[in-house]
Structures are given as structure tokens and as C-alpha cells.
Amino acid sequence: ATADVGVTGLAVMGANLARNLARHGHTVAVHNRTYARTERLLSEHGSDGEFVPSDSVADFVASLEKPRVAIIMVKAGAGTDAVIEELAAEMEPGDIIVDAGNAHFPDTIRREKALRERGLHFVGSGVSGGEEGALNGPSIMPGGSAESYERLGPILEDISAKVDGVPCCTHVGTDGAGHFVKMVHNGIEYADMQLIAEAYDLLRHGLGASAAEIGAIFETWNSGDLESYLIEITAEVLQHTDAATGKAFVDVVLDQAEQKGTGRWTVQNGLDLGVPITGIAEATFARSLSGGVAQREAGHQTLPARASEWTVTDRDAFIEDVRKALYASKVVAYSQGFDQIAAAAAEYGWDIDRGAMARIWRGGCIIRARFLDRITEAYETRPDLPLLLADPYFTDAVGEGLPSWRRVVAGAATSGIPTPAFSSSLAYYDAVRAERLPAALVQAQRDYFGAHTYKRVDREGTFHTLWSGDRSEEQQD
Ligand code: NDP
């Protein structure tokens, strides 16, 4: 046994992760179901460091120093179970199997339990940053036992992205916590992308500007509060010209956004836990709507707009309004995502430090952004903060942008520009700050048709009104 860590599954992500490990001085056992991929890695990138290739799982496991660490990077789904089983059959108690693919967290919980019963450690780990991140430093979100992190942590922290010298990797929590947090990361990514797209659409309609001009606006935004990888790539995409037609690239791309499923999982879980992640949900549904060809065709042909043109008189003030509305909506989406993490921690028995999550998202991953520092600070000051928006820094930042946010959402509605994420984020803000909600009426309706009872603002107890009788009130307990 000569390798201190192994990677099986050498498609783009696994190969790059293996290269990253080798470049950091690790001796990396490498294996892939189809041996040709292993050979290609060695012939093209063998000079990156020390690799120990194997063409069988048994040899791969045998080449690992004990306690063994084997990282799986294969297509998520049934294949993962098969690979885990092959590895587990060759391994010994105390060895660690890491699934670094995009598994759904309930699968990770199930797999961890099954392997724990066999004396093996199973670590479901989120890895974000795409192929570039895998090679040069991703954000890594490992779950699993604290004991396994003692062996694994130094390796993963070593190859993760660093911000101010701090690794973008920490032990998230037990069993499925790492994959859960990666899932929410992706959900937030959906919301962030949709919000940026809505800001672009507003600028395009409001200013009548070209894609490239708007790209330049995003470029300036990238040096302020909004500084982030997604704003940076947006500026580049918008300023890119299609070689074939000479048109703005964004204008030749079919306007249907696809998804691989992590956004959907996040929304489904938000519903399961009863956490209103409206920003993520609107973003996910916006992608679904964009792909609803039949509905869009019918709608486009028949539905009147009865909207008025947006007349922008002060160009700079309008751009600033959109920027502030984008920032405020973004804070809402993150606030909701962190609520979901807190609710999940309570539900699934995880001890998740939300400030640390914001910290490991500062580099390597798709939602890396300057303002994550502020989120870390907010949770460091108050680990049990019930609402990120209510942290003084964010209350001030969002409050300052409120008039802009309201103008933008009202203007979009008047002009018939769809801004589902901007609008629902503002509605969430107004609902969560309201002293009293019309939920009182909903509960009264429930009591009327279903005798679901209600509580009163002025007295303890549970009550029901005899709606079909004399409408007197009965106390239930
Ligand atoms: P793919 O998801 O395309 O998976 C291909 C790899 O999986 C190949 O090595 C393939 O082996 C192997 N594989 C598939 N089925 C089996 C099986 N039944 N038994 C053994 N091996 C199998 O590769 P990616 O590199 O794109 O992604 C790997 C993982 O990383 C996925 O879980 C993905 O969701 C996740 N991920 C991807 C990101 C990205 O940006 N692409 C970002 C973050 C995570 P073979 O060569 O023999 O076909």
C-alpha cells in the first residue's frame, strides 16, 4: 500500500480532483470502471504528481494506506450504490468511503447508516466549483462522523479553495449534513442566477440598452456590495458576441433554462420542513416556466399586456434602483436558505454552524461572494439568529434600498415585466415584518369548513365556532 488517498470515477470532476490531490503532494490511487479513462489521466497529466493506477477495485483498495480513504466521484444515483458496495466488500473497519458526487441527502443518510453498521465510515461530501474548482480548489462540504473528519479533514482542507488563507472546507455535521448543505447552496445559486437575470431584463427594458452595455453595468456592480463570481461571469456573458451571427451571444441562446435537480430537491425539502424559501422556489419555477413551450405559445398568442411603457427619466437613478433591488432580493434568498439549514439541523439532528457555512462558500464555489463575510459575522455575533434579515447590518443595508426595491417591483408590474424573484422577495420581506397577517382569515375559514379550530389573541385555549349552528363559540381545551 503506497497511496494515502484514492479517487474512483475519473470523468472530468474525479480526474481534476485527483490531479488537485497529486499537486498537493498526495500519492493518489486512481481507478475508473473503464480503464481507458485512468490511462488517459496518467498519459495527459501524470506529471502533476504521484498516481497509483489500478484496473480493479480490489487492487485500488489494496493500494491504499490504512485507514483507507477512497473518494467516489461517479454519476450520482444507482451507480453510486454499486460502487460503494464494491469498495465496502474490499475494505476493513475504520476505512473511509467518501461520496463527493451530487447525492441526494436522504440517500447519504441511508448509506452512512448501512456502512456504519459494517464498521466503515461513510462521508457524503458536497463539492462545488465545477471542473475548474475541482482542479484548483473547490468549496468542500463534508458530512459524516467527526472521527472520520480527523483523518479526512486535513486532506480536504489542503485541496480546497482558500480565502485569506482560510480553507473553504469544514466538517458540516453528521451523516447527510454535507450533501444537504451542498443542496441548499445549489438552491441559493438558482435564486441568485434568477435575480441577476431579472435585473438584466429590467435594465434591458427600462434603458433600451444593448446586452453589452448592460454587461458593462454589471462589471461596475462587481466592485461593490454585489461583488461575486455570478455577477462577474454575467458581465462577461453579456459582453460576448456570437461569432456566427455577430449578434449579442445572449440573444442567440434559446430562452429555456434547464436543471439537473438540486433546485427541485431544495424546494421539495423546503415544503417538507415548512420553510418559505420563496426566492429559490420562484427561481426553480421560472426555469420550469421557461421550458413550458405549449403554455408559453398559448400565452404569447392570446394574453393581453395592457401595460404601459417604462419611461426612465434618470438613467443613473434607475440603474441604482435595480442594483439595490437586486441586493435586497439576494439577501432575502440567502436569509431563507440559512433558515432552511437551521430547520434541517433541528429536524435531522445536525449541529450546523451557519456562520461557518457562509465562510466556506466565500471561495471555490459558484455562489462565492464578498457579502458572505457579512453573513459569517452575523452568525458569529449571534449563532441562534432567527432571521438573517434582522441582523443589524442587513436590516440597514436592505432598509436603505427599500424605496428602490419598491419602485422597481411596482414599475415592473405596471410595465408587464415578469420579476417573480424580485417581487416574491419583497412580498416575503413585507410579510415577515408585518405585525399582523391575513393568516387570521385563513385560519377562520379552516374553522368554518373543517372545524379545524383556532386560537385567540386575547385568551389561552383552542376554540371552534359553531358556524352551521347558532355561531356560538366553544372552547376545546
Ligand atoms: P459524470 O456525472 O458524467 O459521471 C461519469 C463517471 O461516472 C465516469 O467515471 C463513469 O465511469 C462513472 N460511472 C457511472 N456509472 C457508474 C457505475 N455504475 N459504476 C462505476 N462507475 C460509474 O461525471 P462528472 O465528472 O461530471 O461528475 C461526477 C460527479 O460529480 C457527479 O455525481 C456529479 O453530479 C458531481 N458534480 C459535478 C459537477 C460538475 O460541474 N460536473 C460539480 C459538482 C459535482 P465510466 O468512465 O466507466 O463510464
Side-chain angles (χ1 to χ4, degrees):
T2 49
D4 59 317
V5 58
V7 179
T8 180
L10 301 174
V12 56
M13 289 296 290
N16 281 358
L17 211 60
R19 293 177 60 198
N20 186 348
L21 285 161
R23 287 176 177 187
H24 279 85
H26 295 280
T27 302
V28 190
V30 284
H31 171 266
N32 190 70
R33 177 179 60 181
T34 311
Y35 190 60
R37 270 201 214 270
T38 313
E39 287 179 312
R40 199 179 319 147
L41 170 64
L42 288 170
S43 66
E44 290 175 7
H45 305 290
S47 59
D48 276 346
E50 295 293 325
F51 295 102
V52 182
S54 294
D55 63 0
S56 75
V57 172
D59 287 350
F60 171 69
V61 172
S63 70
L64 290 165
E65 286 166 8
K66 297 176 192 176
R68 302 177 178 91
V69 174
I71 302 175
I72 304 175
M73 208 32 154
V74 303
K75 198 175 176 61
T80 308
D81 279 314
V83 175
I84 291 171
E85 195 42 54
E86 283 177 286
L87 286 171
E90 303 290 335
M91 286 188 151
E92 292 167 280
D95 288 349
I96 303 170
I97 298 177
V98 183
D99 175 16
N102 265 336
H104 195 196
F105 78 94
D107 289 332
T108 305
I109 293 176
R110 169 178 60 78
R111 289 166 179 154
E112 196 275 340
K113 184 167 184 291
L115 289 181
R116 186 163 18 102
E117 284 164 6
R118 294 162 68 175
L120 297 171
H121 293 287
F122 181 72
V123 175
S125 178
V127 176
S128 176
E131 44 185 293
E132 228 261 356
L135 182 61
N136 297 316
S139 174
I140 310 181
M141 295 152 252
S145 65
E147 192 189 339
S148 61
Y149 195 77
E150 280 175 29
R151 164 93 167 90
L152 193 59
I155 301 175
L156 297 183
E157 289 181 17
D158 201 20
I159 61 161
S160 74
K162 311 280 182 305
V163 176
D164 306 329
V166 180
C168 294
C169 172
T170 193
H171 182 228
V172 174
T174 51
D175 57 60
H179 275 139
F180 181 88
V181 163
K182 170 66 188 340
M183 178 191 80
V184 175
H185 162 285
N186 283 29
I188 291 175
E189 172 187 311
Y190 275 51
D192 219 338
M193 291 167 75
Q194 173 67 21
L195 289 167
I196 290 172
E198 290 178 18
Y200 151 75
D201 204 31
L202 284 161
L203 292 171
R204 201 126 194 213
H205 282 94
L207 299 175
S210 69
E213 285 167 325
I214 295 166
I217 294 171
F218 275 95
E219 215 173 291
T220 63
W221 287 359
N222 200 36
S223 52
D225 289 339
L226 285 168
E227 181 186 321
S228 61
Y229 172 72
L230 283 170
I231 294 281
E232 179 192 325
I233 65 163
T234 302
E236 281 191 37
V237 169
L238 289 175
Q239 294 182 76
H240 181 61
T241 304
D242 174 49
T245 59
K247 291 183 182 168
F249 172 74
V250 72
D251 289 337
V252 299
V253 176
L254 188 68
D255 59 346
Q256 293 176 19
E258 296 171 1
Q259 53 180 311
K260 286 210 289 197
T262 40
R264 187 181 69 232
W265 290 344
T266 314
V267 179
Q268 285 170 338
N269 176 263
L271 293 172
D272 287 345
L273 297 177
V275 182
I277 43 164
T278 56
I280 298 170
E282 287 296 352
T284 308
F285 284 132
R287 291 197 193 185
S288 308
L289 191 153
S290 77
V293 177
Q295 289 77 16
R296 286 183 63 188
E297 239 168 57
H300 178 63
Q301 282 163 8
T302 53
L303 303 181
R306 304 229 171 92
S308 34
E309 275 294 297
W310 198 323
T311 36
V312 171
T313 46
D314 184 337
R315 192 175 182 277
D316 290 344
F318 174 72
I319 294 171
E320 193 55 9
D321 274 356
V322 175
R323 188 186 69 80
K324 287 180 174 169
L326 172 57
Y327 184 74
S329 305
K330 179 173 158 139
V331 174
V332 166
Y334 280 70
S335 184
Q336 294 175 338
F338 280 92
D339 275 356
Q340 185 174 10
I341 292 175
E347 176 71 20
Y348 309 119
W350 298 324
D351 182 14
I352 301 181
D353 173 352
R354 287 177 291 173
M357 297 307 104
R359 191 170 58 239
I360 64 171
W361 290 346
R362 292 184 308 163
C365 66
I366 305 299
I367 63 171
R368 59 185 183 257
R370 177 198 276 202
F371 97 130
L372 286 162
D373 270 332
R374 298 292 188 175
I375 298 183
T376 303
E377 282 168 27
Y379 286 118
E380 269 171 4
T381 312
R382 207 178 145 191
D384 62 345
L385 185 68
L387 179 73
L388 183 61
L389 275 167
D391 169 75
Y393 173 81
F394 288 113
T395 304
D396 287 353
V398 171
E400 196 265 323
L402 257 179
S404 295
W405 199 7
R406 295 199 189 286
R407 269 195 298 276
V408 166
V409 169
T414 310
S415 317
I417 302 168
T419 53
F422 270 49
S423 313
S424 80
S425 300
L426 180 56
Y428 173 87
Y429 178 90
D430 281 326
V432 83
R433 68 169 191 84
E435 192 189 347
R436 212 170 141 69
L437 290 169
L441 177 57
V442 172
Q443 191 59 23
Q445 292 164 334
R446 296 184 72 239
D447 188 59
Y448 188 108
F449 65 70
H452 292 301
T453 73
Y454 51 90
K455 294 198 163 55
R456 298 182 56 99
V457 296
D458 52 358
R459 264 184 287 144
E460 288 289 307
T462 304
F463 301 89
H464 170 56
T465 289
L466 299 170
W467 293 103
S468 48
D470 65 358
R471 306 214 161 174
S472 61
E473 184 175 77
E474 284 180 341
Q475 183 154 0
Q476 308 281 303
D477 58 29

